[in-house]
PDB file of all heavy atoms in Angstrom:
ATOM      1  N   GLU P 449      22.989  15.299   4.955  1.00 93.00           N
ATOM      2  CA  GLU P 449      22.170  14.280   5.656  1.00 93.00           C
ATOM      3  C   GLU P 449      22.987  13.007   5.620  1.00 93.00           C
ATOM      4  O   GLU P 449      23.477  12.571   4.583  1.00 93.00           O
ATOM      5  CB  GLU P 449      20.886  14.118   4.871  1.00 93.00           C
ATOM      6  CG  GLU P 449      19.998  13.050   5.465  1.00 93.00           C
ATOM      7  CD  GLU P 449      18.807  12.768   4.566  1.00 93.00           C
ATOM      8  OE1 GLU P 449      17.885  13.574   4.553  1.00 93.00           O
ATOM      9  OE2 GLU P 449      18.821  11.748   3.850  1.00 93.00           O
ATOM     10  N   MET P 451      23.010   8.974   6.570  1.00 94.00           N
ATOM     11  CA  MET P 451      22.286   7.789   7.007  1.00 94.00           C
ATOM     12  C   MET P 451      23.335   6.745   7.367  1.00 94.00           C
ATOM     13  O   MET P 451      24.313   6.603   6.641  1.00 94.00           O
ATOM     14  CB  MET P 451      21.311   7.231   5.983  1.00 94.00           C
ATOM     15  CG  MET P 451      20.531   6.074   6.507  1.00 94.00           C
ATOM     16  SD  MET P 451      19.560   5.269   5.270  1.00 94.00           S
ATOM     17  CE  MET P 451      17.990   6.103   5.449  1.00 94.00           C
ATOM     18  N   ILE P 453      24.101   2.772   9.069  1.00 94.00           N
ATOM     19  CA  ILE P 453      23.610   1.479   9.550  1.00 94.00           C
ATOM     20  C   ILE P 453      24.658   0.904  10.505  1.00 94.00           C
ATOM     21  O   ILE P 453      25.836   0.779  10.121  1.00 94.00           O
ATOM     22  CB  ILE P 453      23.384   0.476   8.403  1.00 94.00           C
ATOM     23  CG1 ILE P 453      22.479   1.111   7.346  1.00 94.00           C
ATOM     24  CG2 ILE P 453      22.744  -0.811   8.944  1.00 94.00           C
ATOM     25  CD1 ILE P 453      22.206   0.165   6.161  1.00 94.00           C
ATOM     26  N   ARG P 490      16.019  -2.667  12.206  1.00 91.00           N
ATOM     27  CA  ARG P 490      15.248  -2.782  10.975  1.00 91.00           C
ATOM     28  C   ARG P 490      15.861  -3.920  10.167  1.00 91.00           C
ATOM     29  O   ARG P 490      17.059  -4.115  10.147  1.00 91.00           O
ATOM     30  CB  ARG P 490      15.394  -1.467  10.195  1.00 91.00           C
ATOM     31  CG  ARG P 490      14.179  -0.990   9.524  1.00 91.00           C
ATOM     32  CD  ARG P 490      14.550   0.187   8.687  1.00 91.00           C
ATOM     33  NE  ARG P 490      14.059  -0.067   7.350  1.00 91.00           N
ATOM     34  CZ  ARG P 490      13.001   0.519   6.857  1.00 91.00           C
ATOM     35  NH1 ARG P 490      12.361   1.436   7.526  1.00 91.00           N
ATOM     36  NH2 ARG P 490      12.568   0.218   5.628  1.00 91.00           N
ATOM     37  N   ALA P 493      17.314  -5.357   3.491  1.00 90.00           N
ATOM     38  CA  ALA P 493      16.751  -5.976   2.294  1.00 90.00           C
ATOM     39  C   ALA P 493      17.683  -7.121   1.790  1.00 90.00           C
ATOM     40  O   ALA P 493      17.217  -7.982   1.029  1.00 90.00           O
ATOM     41  CB  ALA P 493      16.566  -4.942   1.182  1.00 90.00           C
ATOM     42  N   TYR P 494      18.931  -7.028   2.188  1.00 90.00           N
ATOM     43  CA  TYR P 494      19.870  -8.109   1.845  1.00 90.00           C
ATOM     44  C   TYR P 494      20.930  -8.095   2.920  1.00 90.00           C
ATOM     45  O   TYR P 494      21.055  -7.122   3.646  1.00 90.00           O
ATOM     46  CB  TYR P 494      20.484  -7.889   0.440  1.00 90.00           C
ATOM     47  CG  TYR P 494      21.053  -6.494   0.252  1.00 90.00           C
ATOM     48  CD1 TYR P 494      22.343  -6.170   0.635  1.00 90.00           C
ATOM     49  CD2 TYR P 494      20.269  -5.473  -0.276  1.00 90.00           C
ATOM     50  CE1 TYR P 494      22.843  -4.912   0.460  1.00 90.00           C
ATOM     51  CE2 TYR P 494      20.747  -4.191  -0.439  1.00 90.00           C
ATOM     52  CZ  TYR P 494      22.065  -3.917  -0.076  1.00 90.00           C
ATOM     53  OH  TYR P 494      22.550  -2.664  -0.204  1.00 90.00           O
ATOM     54  N   TYR P 504      19.367   1.603  12.243  1.00 93.00           N
ATOM     55  CA  TYR P 504      19.422   2.741  11.321  1.00 93.00           C
ATOM     56  C   TYR P 504      19.383   4.048  12.116  1.00 93.00           C
ATOM     57  O   TYR P 504      18.709   4.156  13.139  1.00 93.00           O
ATOM     58  CB  TYR P 504      18.215   2.713  10.395  1.00 93.00           C
ATOM     59  CG  TYR P 504      18.374   1.791   9.210  1.00 93.00           C
ATOM     60  CD1 TYR P 504      18.200   0.443   9.364  1.00 93.00           C
ATOM     61  CD2 TYR P 504      18.605   2.306   7.930  1.00 93.00           C
ATOM     62  CE1 TYR P 504      18.327  -0.407   8.280  1.00 93.00           C
ATOM     63  CE2 TYR P 504      18.743   1.471   6.866  1.00 93.00           C
ATOM     64  CZ  TYR P 504      18.574   0.097   7.026  1.00 93.00           C
ATOM     65  OH  TYR P 504      18.690  -0.723   5.970  1.00 93.00           O
ATOM     66  N   ARG P 531      27.288   0.509   7.194  1.00 93.00           N
ATOM     67  CA  ARG P 531      27.214   1.267   5.956  1.00 93.00           C
ATOM     68  C   ARG P 531      26.848   2.716   6.262  1.00 93.00           C
ATOM     69  O   ARG P 531      26.169   2.988   7.239  1.00 93.00           O
ATOM     70  CB  ARG P 531      26.157   0.667   5.024  1.00 93.00           C
ATOM     71  CG  ARG P 531      26.343   1.079   3.591  1.00 93.00           C
ATOM     72  CD  ARG P 531      25.732   0.121   2.650  1.00 93.00           C
ATOM     73  NE  ARG P 531      26.501  -1.135   2.524  1.00 93.00           N
ATOM     74  CZ  ARG P 531      26.259  -2.018   1.561  1.00 93.00           C
ATOM     75  NH1 ARG P 531      25.307  -1.818   0.713  1.00 93.00           N
ATOM     76  NH2 ARG P 531      26.985  -3.115   1.499  1.00 93.00           N
ATOM     77  N   LYS P 533      25.865   6.671   4.331  1.00 93.00           N
ATOM     78  CA  LYS P 533      25.582   7.463   3.118  1.00 93.00           C
ATOM     79  C   LYS P 533      25.464   8.919   3.479  1.00 93.00           C
ATOM     80  O   LYS P 533      24.678   9.283   4.354  1.00 93.00           O
ATOM     81  CB  LYS P 533      24.269   6.971   2.446  1.00 93.00           C
ATOM     82  CG  LYS P 533      23.987   7.697   1.124  1.00 93.00           C
ATOM     83  CD  LYS P 533      22.687   7.236   0.518  1.00 93.00           C
ATOM     84  CE  LYS P 533      22.852   5.990  -0.306  1.00 93.00           C
ATOM     85  NZ  LYS P 533      23.678   6.205  -1.504  1.00 93.00           N
ATOM     86  N   LEU P 535      24.612  12.599   2.012  1.00 92.00           N
ATOM     87  CA  LEU P 535      24.034  13.281   0.866  1.00 92.00           C
ATOM     88  C   LEU P 535      23.864  14.759   1.225  1.00 92.00           C
ATOM     89  O   LEU P 535      23.677  15.101   2.398  1.00 92.00           O
ATOM     90  CB  LEU P 535      22.663  12.718   0.493  1.00 92.00           C
ATOM     91  CG  LEU P 535      22.623  11.268  -0.008  1.00 92.00           C
ATOM     92  CD1 LEU P 535      21.192  10.863  -0.166  1.00 92.00           C
ATOM     93  CD2 LEU P 535      23.383  11.152  -1.293  1.00 92.00           C
ATOM     94  N   ALA P 554      12.783  15.887   5.695  1.00 42.00           N
ATOM     95  CA  ALA P 554      14.003  16.329   5.000  1.00 42.00           C
ATOM     96  C   ALA P 554      14.108  15.549   3.702  1.00 42.00           C
ATOM     97  O   ALA P 554      13.433  14.550   3.502  1.00 42.00           O
ATOM     98  CB  ALA P 554      15.228  16.128   5.834  1.00 42.00           C
ATOM     99  N   GLU P 555      14.999  16.001   2.853  1.00 44.00           N
ATOM    100  CA  GLU P 555      15.015  15.534   1.490  1.00 44.00           C
ATOM    101  C   GLU P 555      16.413  15.070   1.143  1.00 44.00           C
ATOM    102  O   GLU P 555      17.397  15.537   1.764  1.00 44.00           O
ATOM    103  CB  GLU P 555      14.460  16.644   0.696  1.00 44.00           C
ATOM    104  CG  GLU P 555      14.519  16.942  -0.754  1.00 44.00           C
ATOM    105  CD  GLU P 555      15.687  16.662  -1.572  1.00 44.00           C
ATOM    106  OE1 GLU P 555      16.776  17.136  -1.226  1.00 44.00           O
ATOM    107  OE2 GLU P 555      15.493  15.999  -2.556  1.00 44.00           O
ATOM    108  N   ALA P 556      16.496  14.165   0.221  1.00 44.00           N
ATOM    109  CA  ALA P 556      17.839  13.683  -0.120  1.00 44.00           C
ATOM    110  C   ALA P 556      18.042  13.672  -1.604  1.00 44.00           C
ATOM    111  O   ALA P 556      17.122  13.341  -2.319  1.00 44.00           O
ATOM    112  CB  ALA P 556      17.992  12.261   0.418  1.00 44.00           C
ATOM    113  N   ASP P 557      19.207  14.065  -2.004  1.00 47.00           N
ATOM    114  CA  ASP P 557      19.478  14.081  -3.438  1.00 47.00           C
ATOM    115  C   ASP P 557      20.940  13.942  -3.669  1.00 47.00           C
ATOM    116  O   ASP P 557      21.744  14.751  -3.200  1.00 47.00           O
ATOM    117  CB  ASP P 557      18.964  15.426  -4.008  1.00 47.00           C
ATOM    118  CG  ASP P 557      18.030  15.203  -5.172  1.00 47.00           C
ATOM    119  OD1 ASP P 557      18.167  14.167  -5.815  1.00 47.00           O
ATOM    120  OD2 ASP P 557      17.201  16.073  -5.415  1.00 47.00           O
TER     121      ASP P 557
ATOM    122  N   VAL I1281       8.661  15.786  -3.707  1.00 80.00           N
ATOM    123  CA  VAL I1281      10.068  15.429  -3.685  1.00 80.00           C
ATOM    124  C   VAL I1281      10.142  13.968  -3.289  1.00 80.00           C
ATOM    125  O   VAL I1281       9.592  13.550  -2.264  1.00 80.00           O
ATOM    126  CB  VAL I1281      10.862  16.279  -2.676  1.00 80.00           C
ATOM    127  CG1 VAL I1281      12.219  15.691  -2.456  1.00 80.00           C
ATOM    128  CG2 VAL I1281      10.949  17.687  -3.175  1.00 80.00           C
ATOM    129  N   ASP I1283      11.829  10.875  -1.830  1.00 86.00           N
ATOM    130  CA  ASP I1283      12.859  10.676  -0.819  1.00 86.00           C
ATOM    131  C   ASP I1283      13.248   9.200  -0.777  1.00 86.00           C
ATOM    132  O   ASP I1283      12.380   8.337  -0.745  1.00 86.00           O
ATOM    133  CB  ASP I1283      12.323  11.149   0.522  1.00 86.00           C
ATOM    134  CG  ASP I1283      13.391  11.162   1.598  1.00 86.00           C
ATOM    135  OD1 ASP I1283      14.516  10.711   1.301  1.00 86.00           O
ATOM    136  OD2 ASP I1283      13.105  11.637   2.710  1.00 86.00           O
ATOM    137  N   TYR I1284      14.548   8.945  -0.770  1.00 88.00           N
ATOM    138  CA  TYR I1284      14.974   7.544  -0.760  1.00 88.00           C
ATOM    139  C   TYR I1284      14.625   6.841   0.557  1.00 88.00           C
ATOM    140  O   TYR I1284      14.609   5.629   0.608  1.00 88.00           O
ATOM    141  CB  TYR I1284      16.479   7.412  -1.026  1.00 88.00           C
ATOM    142  CG  TYR I1284      17.380   7.771   0.129  1.00 88.00           C
ATOM    143  CD1 TYR I1284      17.925   6.777   0.932  1.00 88.00           C
ATOM    144  CD2 TYR I1284      17.664   9.095   0.415  1.00 88.00           C
ATOM    145  CE1 TYR I1284      18.756   7.104   1.986  1.00 88.00           C
ATOM    146  CE2 TYR I1284      18.479   9.422   1.474  1.00 88.00           C
ATOM    147  CZ  TYR I1284      19.031   8.443   2.265  1.00 88.00           C
ATOM    148  OH  TYR I1284      19.825   8.751   3.307  1.00 88.00           O
ATOM    149  N   LYS I1285      14.351   7.596   1.578  1.00 88.00           N
ATOM    150  CA  LYS I1285      14.008   7.001   2.871  1.00 88.00           C
ATOM    151  C   LYS I1285      12.574   6.471   2.944  1.00 88.00           C
ATOM    152  O   LYS I1285      12.265   5.677   3.784  1.00 88.00           O
ATOM    153  CB  LYS I1285      14.206   8.052   4.015  1.00 88.00           C
ATOM    154  CG  LYS I1285      15.663   8.497   4.110  1.00 88.00           C
ATOM    155  CD  LYS I1285      15.931   9.259   5.370  1.00 88.00           C
ATOM    156  CE  LYS I1285      15.241  10.594   5.427  1.00 88.00           C
ATOM    157  NZ  LYS I1285      15.570  11.479   4.312  1.00 88.00           N
ATOM    158  N   SER I1287      10.600   4.159   1.797  1.00 86.00           N
ATOM    159  CA  SER I1287      10.633   2.891   1.027  1.00 86.00           C
ATOM    160  C   SER I1287       9.228   2.406   0.715  1.00 86.00           C
ATOM    161  O   SER I1287       9.030   1.705  -0.272  1.00 86.00           O
ATOM    162  CB  SER I1287      11.438   1.862   1.796  1.00 86.00           C
ATOM    163  OG  SER I1287      10.852   1.577   3.035  1.00 86.00           O
ATOM    164  N   ARG I1318      16.635   7.550  -9.039  1.00 91.00           N
ATOM    165  CA  ARG I1318      17.751   7.864  -8.167  1.00 91.00           C
ATOM    166  C   ARG I1318      17.438   7.473  -6.708  1.00 91.00           C
ATOM    167  O   ARG I1318      18.295   6.937  -6.013  1.00 91.00           O
ATOM    168  CB  ARG I1318      18.057   9.366  -8.224  1.00 91.00           C
ATOM    169  CG  ARG I1318      19.343   9.748  -7.564  1.00 91.00           C
ATOM    170  CD  ARG I1318      19.848  11.076  -8.120  1.00 91.00           C
ATOM    171  NE  ARG I1318      18.786  12.074  -7.997  1.00 91.00           N
ATOM    172  CZ  ARG I1318      18.721  13.130  -8.808  1.00 91.00           C
ATOM    173  NH1 ARG I1318      19.589  13.318  -9.764  1.00 91.00           N
ATOM    174  NH2 ARG I1318      17.748  14.017  -8.664  1.00 91.00           N
ATOM    175  N   ASN I1322      19.509   4.833  -4.389  1.00 93.00           N
ATOM    176  CA  ASN I1322      20.053   5.176  -3.055  1.00 93.00           C
ATOM    177  C   ASN I1322      19.499   4.239  -2.000  1.00 93.00           C
ATOM    178  O   ASN I1322      20.212   3.796  -1.130  1.00 93.00           O
ATOM    179  CB  ASN I1322      19.691   6.633  -2.713  1.00 93.00           C
ATOM    180  CG  ASN I1322      20.694   7.612  -3.267  1.00 93.00           C
ATOM    181  OD1 ASN I1322      21.868   7.283  -3.406  1.00 93.00           O
ATOM    182  ND2 ASN I1322      20.245   8.780  -3.596  1.00 93.00           N
ATOM    183  N   ARG I1324      18.506   1.235  -2.378  1.00 93.00           N
ATOM    184  CA  ARG I1324      19.142  -0.092  -2.495  1.00 93.00           C
ATOM    185  C   ARG I1324      20.475  -0.127  -1.813  1.00 93.00           C
ATOM    186  O   ARG I1324      20.802  -1.108  -1.163  1.00 93.00           O
ATOM    187  CB  ARG I1324      19.313  -0.426  -3.968  1.00 93.00           C
ATOM    188  CG  ARG I1324      18.084  -0.928  -4.656  1.00 93.00           C
ATOM    189  CD  ARG I1324      18.388  -1.137  -6.097  1.00 93.00           C
ATOM    190  NE  ARG I1324      17.217  -1.589  -6.863  1.00 93.00           N
ATOM    191  CZ  ARG I1324      17.166  -1.559  -8.182  1.00 93.00           C
ATOM    192  NH1 ARG I1324      18.183  -1.130  -8.893  1.00 93.00           N
ATOM    193  NH2 ARG I1324      16.101  -2.002  -8.797  1.00 93.00           N
ATOM    194  N   GLU I1325      21.225   0.939  -1.976  1.00 92.00           N
ATOM    195  CA  GLU I1325      22.540   0.976  -1.345  1.00 92.00           C
ATOM    196  C   GLU I1325      22.439   0.860   0.164  1.00 92.00           C
ATOM    197  O   GLU I1325      23.304   0.307   0.821  1.00 92.00           O
ATOM    198  CB  GLU I1325      23.289   2.276  -1.696  1.00 92.00           C
ATOM    199  CG  GLU I1325      23.944   2.248  -3.040  1.00 92.00           C
ATOM    200  CD  GLU I1325      24.888   3.443  -3.210  1.00 92.00           C
ATOM    201  OE1 GLU I1325      25.691   3.673  -2.296  1.00 92.00           O
ATOM    202  OE2 GLU I1325      24.824   4.126  -4.232  1.00 92.00           O
ATOM    203  N   MET I1326      21.393   1.407   0.736  1.00 93.00           N
ATOM    204  CA  MET I1326      21.220   1.371   2.181  1.00 93.00           C
ATOM    205  C   MET I1326      20.350   0.212   2.598  1.00 93.00           C
ATOM    206  O   MET I1326      19.815   0.218   3.713  1.00 93.00           O
ATOM    207  CB  MET I1326      20.626   2.684   2.676  1.00 93.00           C
ATOM    208  CG  MET I1326      21.497   3.897   2.424  1.00 93.00           C
ATOM    209  SD  MET I1326      23.205   3.665   2.999  1.00 93.00           S
ATOM    210  CE  MET I1326      23.017   3.819   4.734  1.00 93.00           C
ATOM    211  N   ALA I1327      20.181  -0.778   1.772  1.00 92.00           N
ATOM    212  CA  ALA I1327      19.475  -2.006   2.092  1.00 92.00           C
ATOM    213  C   ALA I1327      18.025  -1.759   2.519  1.00 92.00           C
ATOM    214  O   ALA I1327      17.429  -2.511   3.270  1.00 92.00           O
ATOM    215  CB  ALA I1327      20.174  -2.797   3.190  1.00 92.00           C
ATOM    216  N   LEU I1328      17.433  -0.648   2.046  1.00 92.00           N
ATOM    217  CA  LEU I1328      16.046  -0.406   2.277  1.00 92.00           C
ATOM    218  C   LEU I1328      15.183  -1.118   1.248  1.00 92.00           C
ATOM    219  O   LEU I1328      14.030  -1.487   1.484  1.00 92.00           O
ATOM    220  CB  LEU I1328      15.742   1.101   2.249  1.00 92.00           C
ATOM    221  CG  LEU I1328      16.443   1.950   3.299  1.00 92.00           C
ATOM    222  CD1 LEU I1328      16.200   3.396   3.054  1.00 92.00           C
ATOM    223  CD2 LEU I1328      15.950   1.541   4.698  1.00 92.00           C
ATOM    224  N   LEU I1329      15.739  -1.280   0.065  1.00 92.00           N
ATOM    225  CA  LEU I1329      15.088  -2.014  -0.999  1.00 92.00           C
ATOM    226  C   LEU I1329      16.055  -3.077  -1.515  1.00 92.00           C
ATOM    227  O   LEU I1329      17.254  -2.905  -1.441  1.00 92.00           O
ATOM    228  CB  LEU I1329      14.712  -1.078  -2.174  1.00 92.00           C
ATOM    229  CG  LEU I1329      13.691  -0.007  -1.913  1.00 92.00           C
ATOM    230  CD1 LEU I1329      13.509   0.839  -3.156  1.00 92.00           C
ATOM    231  CD2 LEU I1329      12.391  -0.583  -1.482  1.00 92.00           C
ATOM    232  N   PRO I1330      15.510  -4.166  -2.040  1.00 91.00           N
ATOM    233  CA  PRO I1330      16.403  -5.210  -2.567  1.00 91.00           C
ATOM    234  C   PRO I1330      16.947  -4.871  -3.948  1.00 91.00           C
ATOM    235  O   PRO I1330      16.329  -4.140  -4.692  1.00 91.00           O
ATOM    236  CB  PRO I1330      15.472  -6.410  -2.627  1.00 91.00           C
ATOM    237  CG  PRO I1330      14.121  -5.820  -2.871  1.00 91.00           C
ATOM    238  CD  PRO I1330      14.092  -4.527  -2.148  1.00 91.00           C
TER     239      PRO I1330
END
Side-chain angles (χ1 to χ4, degrees):
Chain P
E449 177 188 285
M451 185 188 265
I453 307 179
R490 219 187 128 106
Y494 49 87
Y504 280 75
R531 199 156 287 192
K533 182 181 276 295
L535 295 175
E555 164 322 305
D557 234 334
Chain I
V1281 168
D1283 188 353
Y1284 76 99
K1285 297 192 292 304
S1287 59
R1318 191 159 53 207
N1322 274 330
R1324 280 177 182 165
E1325 279 192 47
M1326 296 310 285
L1328 297 174
L1329 294 179

